[in-house]
Amino acid sequence: AWAAGDMLARGFVLGGTAGRTTLNGEGLQHEDGHSHIQASLIPNCVAYDPAFAHEVAVIIRSGLQRMMHDQEDVFFYITVMNENYAQPGLKAGDEEGILKGMYKLQSSAKPAKTHVQLMGSGTILREVLAAQELLEKDWGVTSDVWSVTSFTELRRDGLDAERHNLLHPAEPAREAYVTRQLKGTQGPVIVSTDYIKAYGDMIRPFVPNGRHLKVLGTDGFGRSDFRSELRKHFEIDRHFVVLAALRSLADEGAIDIKKCAEAIAKYGIDADKANPHHA
């Protein structure tokens, strides 16, 4: 991939067995929790981790426009999965957010006093959507769900804004896209992906000041098992998203810390399980 960048190659590289929990019955050679970190190091590699077909379509169209029509020397790395699930379809107006790196997929009908921001990418976005249902049904916590198609693009946008502000102190300060999107929202931000925590953590500098950010990821060695078991092992599934949201709310004083212990018991989470980062 670095050589492709160095020789100014153009085209699409599709990661069909991407992530640490998506295709593991065929052996650990498919374990990938880090390719998006590596892709972020290549300046002319445009990397996305879409969850749905409509996101892929928008991204592919953008790639064709940039590489073929605009003659840009970039190549696209897109991680796609082999998991079957329903596709919601494209809503008009979401195209910009898909390409920028994030857009609001859905929100609770009636936001409650305790509200959180849930972010996910790729196949783990579906766990985040399931967590949204559990939070509202079991705990009365509402949320906004964001599909993050590229933490890498969001980070690059944020760094561009920081650089502009450093070099143009007399001009109005630019805001990162992440900052603009989250400014009008409330509650802590919870991220879950199929990649190591460093991937989701890329947006930390650009989350509005004072907002709590909790990142879940697949740090540690891989395993060959059912997807549900692997997501439980790496602590990135719906139950851990719910627990992370409740803990963040408790840390902010919005709910009683006892709710976290109740959630651990309710969902049968083994509090003494091996740390996947060390196991």
Side-chain angles (χ1 to χ4, degrees):
W2 183 265
D6 188 52
M7 66 193 295
L8 304 182
R10 300 178 192 174
F12 297 95
V13 179
L14 304 181
T17 56
R20 281 226 166 103
T21 72
T22 297
L23 185 66
N24 301 279
E26 295 188 10
L28 299 186
Q29 71 269 25
H30 291 302
E31 292 294 344
D32 162 34
H34 52 277
S35 64
H36 274 288
I37 299 295
Q38 293 174 320
S40 73
L41 305 177
I42 305 170
N44 49 346
C45 177
V46 185
Y48 288 97
D49 183 35
F52 296 118
H54 71 268
E55 297 171 352
V56 176
V58 171
I59 292 164
I60 292 289
R61 185 183 188 282
S62 171
L64 292 172
Q65 172 74 27
R66 292 177 62 177
M67 292 183 286
M68 305 305 294
H69 183 274
D70 301 337
Q71 291 293 300
E72 283 190 54
D73 289 324
V74 295
F75 70 99
F76 278 54
Y77 174 54
I78 307 173
T79 46
V80 293
M81 282 63 67
N82 72 329
E83 191 169 343
N84 294 325
Y85 47 84
Q87 305 294 317
L90 178 65
K91 294 179 184 176
D94 284 343
E95 295 89 344
E96 180 187 17
I98 290 171
L99 296 177
K100 286 280 191 180
M102 65 180 286
Y103 69 102
K104 189 184 294 185
L105 185 65
Q106 66 182 42
S107 300
S108 299
K110 295 181 179 179
K113 183 178 180 181
T114 48
H115 194 77
V116 296
Q117 304 301 311
L118 304 178
M119 294 184 174
S121 71
T123 191
I124 303 304
L125 179 62
R126 296 175 62 244
E127 292 296 317
V128 173
L129 289 166
Q132 181 182 46
E133 293 184 19
L134 292 177
L135 278 167
E136 190 162 1
K137 176 172 65 77
D138 295 344
W139 311 101
V141 174
T142 55
S143 60
D144 301 316
V145 171
W146 299 83
S147 177
V148 181
T149 53
S150 180
F151 287 97
T152 301
E153 287 300 293
L154 292 175
R155 177 177 181 271
R156 288 173 175 173
D157 170 84
L159 293 177
D160 285 346
E162 285 187 344
R163 180 178 182 274
H164 177 272
N165 297 338
L166 177 67
L167 297 175
H168 302 86
E171 296 182 11
R174 290 183 182 175
E175 284 186 325
Y177 186 75
V178 172
T179 310
R180 295 201 307 273
Q181 295 301 104
L182 292 177
K183 270 179 66 174
T185 66
Q186 68 179 88
V189 181
I190 314 299
V191 170
S192 189
T193 80
D194 216 11
Y195 299 88
I196 60 176
K197 294 175 183 177
Y199 181 52
D201 210 55
M202 284 181 168
I203 65 169
R204 185 176 294 276
F206 314 113
V207 172
N209 290 336
R211 300 287 287 276
H212 189 98
L213 174 67
K214 176 65 175 175
V215 177
L216 308 180
T218 56
D219 295 68
F221 284 121
R223 295 286 189 276
S224 186
D225 206 330
F226 293 107
R227 290 175 178 134
S228 59
E229 290 301 313
L230 290 165
R231 290 163 189 171
K232 183 190 302 182
H233 166 74
F234 284 116
E235 303 171 2
I236 60 171
D237 67 2
R238 63 196 67 184
H239 296 146
F240 277 95
V241 173
V242 169
L243 181 58
L246 294 177
R247 180 65 202 228
S248 297
L249 288 168
D251 288 345
E252 293 183 353
I255 64 171
D256 194 310
I257 191 69
K258 293 179 181 178
K259 294 291 184 184
C260 299
E262 291 175 19
I264 290 172
K266 182 178 181 64
Y267 301 129
I269 296 173
D270 181 3
D272 297 315
K273 67 187 286 291
N275 185 339
H277 184 73
H278 303 145

